[in-house]
Amino acid sequence: MMCMTQAPVAPKAARRRHDREIVALAVPAFGALIAEPLFLMADTAIVGHLGTAQLAGLGVASALLATAVSIFVFLAYATTAAVARRVGAGDLQAAIRQGMDGIWLALLLGAAVIAVFLPAAPALVELFGTSDTAAPYAITYLRISALGIPAMLVVLAATGVLRGLQDTRTPLYVALAGFLANAALNAGLVYGADLGIAGSAWGTVIAQIGMAAAYLVVVVRGARKHGASLRPDIAGIRACAQAGAPLLVRTLSLRAILMIATAVAARLGDADIAAHQIILSLWSLLAFALDAIAIAGQAIIGRYLGAGDTQGAREACRRMVEWGIAVGVVLGGLVIAARPLFLPLFTSDSIVHDAALPALLMVALSQPICGVVFVLDGVLMGAGDGPYLARAMLLTLAVFAPVALLIPALGGGLTAVWAAMTLMMTVRMLTLWLRTRSGRWIVTGATR
C-alpha cells in the first residue's frame, strides 16, 4: 500500500492521534465543500420559477462562471501547503504573510477576469450555442456575477490560509452563512424587488462579497496579532503565482478530461448524455467526501514537513491512504445499494435508466481507487510537489484522450466511457503511488 514502504506501522496511540487530526480537519472541510454547490441549487430553484428561458440562461452563465473560478482553485491548494509549512516551522508571522500574498494575487487575477468577462460576455454565451430567448438572460447574469469573481477568488485564497493554519471550522461557518445569505438575498431581489434574473446575480455577488469580507476580518486580525504586514509584496505575489502555475496545469488537464468524457457521451445519443450528466453529478458529490480527506492531507503533511518531522509525515500519509480506501469502499457500497432509488430522482425515462445502471456499477467499483487518488493528491499538494502533479496529470490526459475518443468508433456505450474514467483514475493512482513510494516528495523546511 502507498506510504507503507516508507515507514513501519505506527503504534495505536499514533494512529489515534492521526485519526483525530484527520477527522477534525476533514469533517468541517466536507461541510464547507458541499455548501458551495448549494449556492447554485438555491439560484436554480429560485430562477427556475421565472421561466424556462431564464433557467436556461442561468445554466449557461453558471457553467462559464464555474469554469472560470475552478481554474483558479490553485489559490486554495498552493496557499494551504505554503502556510502549513510555515506553521510547522513555528513562524506564524511568515505563515500569515504568505497568506496575504495569496490574497493579493487573488485580487489581481479577479480584476483580470472581470476585464475579460464584461466585454466578452455575449461572445462567450454565443459560443455555448445558447438560444436567442435564453441568451439575454445568460448575458445579464454573467456580467453582473462577474463583478463578484474577485470576492470568489479571495474566498479561495483565504480558505487556503485558514486550512494551512489547521482551521477548517471557520470556512464551514462562513460557507453556511454565505449560503443562507445568498438564498435570502436571491428570493428578496428576484421576487420582492422584482429584479428577475438580475436579482439572482446581485444576490450572489453580495453574498460572495460578504464571505470575502468575513475571511479578511479573520486574516487581518491574525496579521495584526502576529505582526505580519498587510501590504502587497511583489516578490511574494510572484512566488505564489509560480507555486500555483503547476497546479493550474493540473486543473486544466483534469477539466479537459471531464470535457472529453462529456463530449464522447454526447455523441452516443440523447439517452446516454442524459445518463452521463446524472452520473457525473453523483461522481462530483462523492468527490466532495474524498476531497475533504485530501484537504486534511494538505494541511497535515505541510505542517509535518515544515517542522522537519519526516516520520510523522510518512505515518500520516499511510493513515490517510487507509482512510481513503475505507471511505471509498463505503461510498461504493452505498452507490450499489442506492442505484434503484437514485435514478428515479432525476428521470422516469427507462432508456436513460438502462444506460445509467451498468455505468453506475463502474463508478461504484472505482471508489476505492478514487479514495487513494484523492488522498495522495492531497499529500503531494501539501508537500508542495506541484510540478510532479502537473506532469502526472498531463500523462493521464495523454492516456485517457485516445481511449475515450475511440469509444464511439468501436461501438462502445456509456459504460465504456466510465470504464475509461476508471482507467484514468487508475493511471493517476499509479503515478501518485510511484511518487510517494520514491520518497522524493519529502522535502522539509519552511519552504520547499
Side-chain angles (χ1 to χ4, degrees), residues 73-247:
V73 73
F74 70 83
L75 288 166
Y77 294 157
T79 304
T80 297
V83 171
R85 274 185 174 270
R86 286 163 174 79
V87 169
D91 192 347
L92 288 177
Q93 182 186 66
I96 296 175
R97 175 66 261 179
Q98 177 77 37
M100 285 304 306
D101 292 335
I103 290 172
W104 280 111
L105 176 61
L107 287 170
L108 292 173
L109 291 173
V113 173
I114 286 180
V116 171
F117 264 52
L118 289 182
L124 291 171
V125 169
E126 184 179 357
L127 189 64
F128 264 62
T130 313
S131 69
D132 292 339
T133 53
Y137 298 111
I139 293 169
T140 296
Y141 191 93
L142 184 59
R143 280 181 164 161
I144 296 172
S145 295
L147 300 176
I149 286 179
M152 296 180 197
L153 300 190
V154 167
V155 167
L156 285 177
T159 300
V161 176
L162 295 180
R163 288 173 181 169
L165 293 171
Q166 317 297 295
D167 176 10
T168 55
R169 290 183 178 275
T170 300
L172 170 61
Y173 300 147
V174 174
L176 290 176
F179 163 70
L180 294 174
N182 178 68
L185 286 165
N186 270 256
L189 293 174
V190 171
Y191 298 114
D194 199 25
L195 294 179
I197 196 170
S200 177
W202 280 117
T204 300
V205 168
I206 295 169
Q208 291 286 354
I209 291 173
M211 290 172 66
Y215 275 119
L216 289 175
V217 167
V218 175
V219 174
V220 168
R221 185 183 298 145
R224 288 175 175 168
K225 178 180 178 181
H226 297 287
S229 174
L230 299 174
R231 290 178 295 180
D233 176 68
I234 300 302
I237 294 172
R238 186 185 301 115
C240 286
Q242 290 172 346
L247 296 180

Side-chain angles (χ1 to χ4, degrees), residues 108 134 204 285 338 345 430:
L108 292 173
T204 300
L285 179 62
L345 295 176
L430 290 174

Side-chain angles (χ1 to χ4, degrees), residues 252-318:
L252 290 174
S253 300
L254 181 57
R255 296 292 300 184
I257 287 170
L258 296 177
M259 288 176 64
I260 290 170
T262 300
V264 171
R267 293 176 63 186
L268 299 176
D270 289 348
D272 288 282
I273 186 60
H276 176 75
Q277 289 303 112
I278 293 171
I279 295 171
L280 190 60
S281 67
L282 174 63
W283 194 75
S284 300
L285 179 62
L286 298 174
F288 284 131
L290 297 172
D291 202 27
I293 306 174
I295 288 169
Q298 294 170 31
I300 292 170
I301 294 298
R303 192 189 75 233
Y304 275 123
L305 294 179
D309 186 354
T310 58
Q311 181 179 351
R314 290 189 179 102
E315 289 177 355
C317 174
R318 173 195 173 109

